Structures are given as structure tokens and as C-alpha cells.
Amino acid sequence: NQRFVLASRPVGAPTAENFRLEEVDIPALGNHDVLIENHHLSIDPYMRGRMSDAKSYAEPVAIDGLMVGATVGKVLESNHADYHPGDWVLAYKGWETHSVVNGDTLIKLNPDLAPVSYALGILGMPGFTAYMGLLDIGQPQEGDTLVVAAATGPVGATVAQIGKLKGCHVVAIAGGEEKCQYARENLNVDACIDHKADNFAEQLAEACPQGIDIYFENVGGKVFDGVMPLLNTGARIPVCGLVSQYNNTALPDGPDRLSQLMGTILVKRLTIKGFIIFDDYAHRYPEFAHDMAKWVGEGQIHYREHAVDGFEQAPQALIDVLEGRNFGKMVVNIK
Ligand code: NDP
């Protein structure tokens, strides 16, 4: 069994030295335990947070501790009545080639419904995040203008497409022309703007002639600066993530715009609400699972994976996601 542990805490962007690859024995199975051969490892932006010991909504990974993460794999051995060798399962344990977990914590997957790795993306945590953040906090109404960045990633692309299903004018934001072209052609969005363009803020204003009713916050930073002056009265901002800030070691340079933001919240009567998907919405998972399976099955929602082959690629895959070098949901193929 190979596994990656956290060797040291990153300062700024993570580097390969922050991870250590180890060879360890597979532990003996206890009552109700299942041994899984992991085939796909999910790489997600939140993992950067777990590498840091700053206070957050979840405990950090300990130094020398297993890097946390979701995997999809095949059952090899089972001491649990519900699981048998050959079953496909979703586990939440970590960056390792084999996992031993209590079967009660697993979700069984049906490989005939969709590729099993979709459980790490559109049919799993990122899809659920997009669904709840947009529908519950964003409250999309027909004709609303919805803006979402990281628009080719699993959360952003799903937000954009659900927004279109709900009749919104959707303006996507992505890094680079290739991603924007993909968004325009495959995600059915009304416009896509490259946040690296010099005149990004002007392009955004042009694409939102009626202002912005929903800004689904995935990235923060410069993108939010462009959005703030365009917000309409009563706009909703689900605060999902701030990926442009995760590698920062200090607050950005001034001027301090907090009073401008507070003034905008007051005058425009904004609703700004953060959420942590499973902490806040676990009870609504069945509703999501039903709707998303239907939309994906009917081809109404398009999904793109960025798969890299080889377990040893996992650290670089996370480094890449934090720099926008993924194009679609980042998954490491272990087998
Ligand atoms: P993505 O696969 O979309 O990867 C992150 C993307 O962010 C990159 O590909 C890049 O896209 C973009 N990005 C990176 N740096 C910058 C930058 N400086 N400025 C603008 N964009 C940048 O990730 P996910 O879809 O998995 O996650 C999207 C967001 O949702 C993240 O913030 C994540 O933390 C959050 N999240 C929150 C959850 C919750 O419960 N609140 C649960 C799951 C995810 P591009 O090249 O297009 O800019």
C-alpha cells in the first residue's frame, strides 16, 4: 500500500517537498471493515486548507498524517454484510492506493449509471455544492443575471448550467481563451470572460448590461473587485470558495475596501452567505442525487474531467488546481 502523508506545512503555494510518499502494510480487517483497491483519487481546492494549521471549519491534517481525500475504488475483501468483492464504492479516507474502512461509512456506486469517477465530481461533492449554493442561497429567478468564476471546474461549470436550466443570463469567468471557448460551446453560457484579460472589469460590465443578481463566489480577489460595482439591489452572493486567496501568506495590498463593501451591502441590500456543503446541507443530498442523475442522464448537464495517470502525480495535481492548470474536475487515476 502506498500513501502520501503531509511532510511539512506549506508557506504560500504547496511544493512537492510538503508531501512524502510512503510504503506501508495494509492493516488487518476488523468487524464491518472493507478493504478497497482505490482507482480514482479526487483532488480538490479544500485540501490546501487542510495542509494549514490555521483555524478552520475542519481539523488540519497532522504532520506525518495521511492526506485526506475522497476515492473511488473496488472492494477486494469485506467483513461487512452490505459489501462484496467487486463492488464499486466511494470512500472518504485519503491519498492511498488501498483503504481499510468501516463499511458503514461507504457509498455504493452503480457502474451502469455513469462512469464511477463521476461520484467525485458532478454526481458527488462538487456537484452538490453547486446545486445547493445556487438553488438555496442564490435563489435564481428567470431573467436574472448570474456570474460564476472557475467556470470550467466541477463547481463553476455546474452552477453555470443549472443557471441556464433556471432561465438565467449566465456570464462565466475562466482563465484563458481555451477555457472560455469551451464554456461558450459546451456549457451553453451567454458569455465567458477571461479573468486574465487587462480590461477584465470592462468586459464583465459589458456582458452584464442589466447588472448582476447572483454572484456565485468561487475565487475572490480581482474577480470580486470587478463584480462589486455591478451588483443589483437585492443581489445574492453564495460564498462557496476563495481559491485565488488560498496560497496567500498575507492580506492583499490596499487600499482597504471594507467600508466600500459594507456600504454596498447596506445600500444594495445584499445577501452574502457562506456555506460548507456537508455541514449545512447533508439532509438535502437525496434531492440533489435525484435531480443531478436525471440532468446528466438526459444530457442536460455536461461534465469534463481532467484525469492524470499515476498515484505519484497526486501532489502536482493539487499544486496545479490551485494555479488554475486543471481544465475540468481534477482526478488522479491510480489504477
Ligand atoms: P476547480 O476545479 O474549479 O479549480 C479551481 C479553479 O480556480 C482553477 O482551475 C482556476 O480556474 C480557478 N482559479 C485559481 N486561481 C485563480 C485566481 N487567482 N483567480 C481566478 N480564478 C482562479 O475547483 P472546484 O470546482 O473543485 O472548486 C471551486 C471552488 O469551490 C473553490 O473555491 C473551492 O474551494 C470551493 N468549494 C467549496 C465547497 C464548500 O462546501 N463551500 C465545496 C467544494 C468546493 P481558471 O483557470 O478558470 O481561473
Side-chain angles (χ1 to χ4, degrees):
N1 182 27
Q2 288 191 311
R3 63 177 203 162
F4 275 103
V5 297
L6 181 66
S8 56
R9 301 202 185 280
V11 179
T15 64
E17 287 69 46
N18 298 132
F19 306 87
R20 189 173 63 247
L21 184 60
E22 294 183 339
E23 187 81 44
V24 290
D25 290 338
I26 294 173
L29 269 64
N31 258 350
H32 310 295
D33 278 353
V34 174
L35 168 62
I36 306 155
E37 173 187 71
N38 291 321
H39 286 230
H40 310 285
L41 166 67
S42 185
I43 299 291
D44 300 276
Y46 77 82
M47 291 167 171
R48 175 64 184 84
R50 298 290 201 283
M51 296 175 78
S52 159
D53 58 6
K55 201 170 160 42
S56 186
Y57 61 91
E59 285 298 306
V61 173
I63 295 294
D64 299 329
L66 177 68
M67 279 296 296
V68 289
T71 49
V72 161
K74 218 175 212 180
V75 172
L76 291 184
E77 279 177 52
S78 174
N79 283 346
H80 194 287
D82 295 346
Y83 294 96
H84 306 285
D87 285 347
W88 285 99
V89 291
L90 172 68
Y92 190 77
K93 179 120 184 288
W95 295 23
E96 55 186 3
T97 58
H98 296 78
S99 297
V100 172
V101 295
N102 185 316
D104 293 340
T105 66
L106 295 171
I107 293 178
K108 198 181 285 196
L109 305 175
N110 179 351
D112 299 327
L113 277 186
V116 285
S117 62
Y118 280 30
L120 303 174
I122 186 75
L123 298 179
M125 186 277 282
F128 188 30
T129 300
Y131 180 92
M132 290 313 324
L134 180 61
L135 297 181
D136 194 55
I137 303 174
Q139 296 282 329
Q141 311 295 318
E142 194 152 344
D144 277 353
T145 294
L146 162 68
V147 173
V148 60
T152 60
V155 175
T158 311
V159 167
Q161 293 176 94
I162 299 175
K164 285 311 297 178
L165 291 177
K166 298 293 172 191
C168 295
H169 175 78
V170 177
V171 177
I173 298 169
E177 180 47 33
E178 194 191 359
K179 288 184 178 180
C180 277
Q181 191 183 343
Y182 166 83
R184 286 184 214 108
E185 289 174 1
N186 298 284
L187 307 180
N188 192 26
V189 299
D190 299 283
C192 184
I193 297 165
D194 177 2
H195 63 79
K196 296 175 183 166
D198 291 338
N199 62 346
F200 163 71
E202 291 92 88
Q203 287 194 46
L204 183 65
E206 257 170 50
C208 303
Q210 314 289 329
I212 297 172
D213 301 295
I214 306 168
Y215 171 57
F216 191 101
E217 175 64 295
N218 272 338
V219 301
K222 210 182 74 180
V223 171
F224 187 75
D225 292 343
V227 163
M228 192 160 51
L230 304 174
L231 291 164
N232 288 333
T233 298
R236 285 83 67 200
I237 306 183
V239 181
C240 175
L242 298 166
V243 67
S244 76
Q245 311 297 301
Y246 293 170
N247 285 336
N248 284 359
T249 51
L251 289 173
D253 289 341
D256 183 345
R257 277 154 295 176
L258 183 61
S259 59
Q260 188 188 10
L261 173 62
M262 294 304 260
T264 309
I265 294 171
L266 172 64
V267 174
K268 298 281 176 65
R269 283 145 284 170
L270 304 181
T271 300
I272 303 182
K273 191 169 188 304
F275 68 105
I276 301 298
I277 188 61
F278 283 107
D279 293 18
D280 295 332
Y281 289 113
H283 59 291
R284 294 188 61 178
Y285 196 83
E287 189 186 322
F288 154 74
H290 171 270
D291 286 355
M292 194 57 75
K294 178 168 167 288
W295 288 334
V296 172
E298 292 170 356
Q300 296 206 65
I301 291 215
H302 188 88
Y303 178 58
R304 178 180 176 119
E305 261 182 13
H306 180 145
V308 292
D309 291 335
F311 181 61
E312 67 289 353
Q313 300 300 323
Q316 189 60 46
L318 177 57
I319 294 167
D320 286 349
V321 163
L322 296 167
E323 304 280 346
R325 285 192 293 265
N326 61 311
F327 191 174
K329 164 67 197 163
M330 183 62 95
V331 171
V332 173
N333 289 335
I334 301 173
K335 290 254 344 153

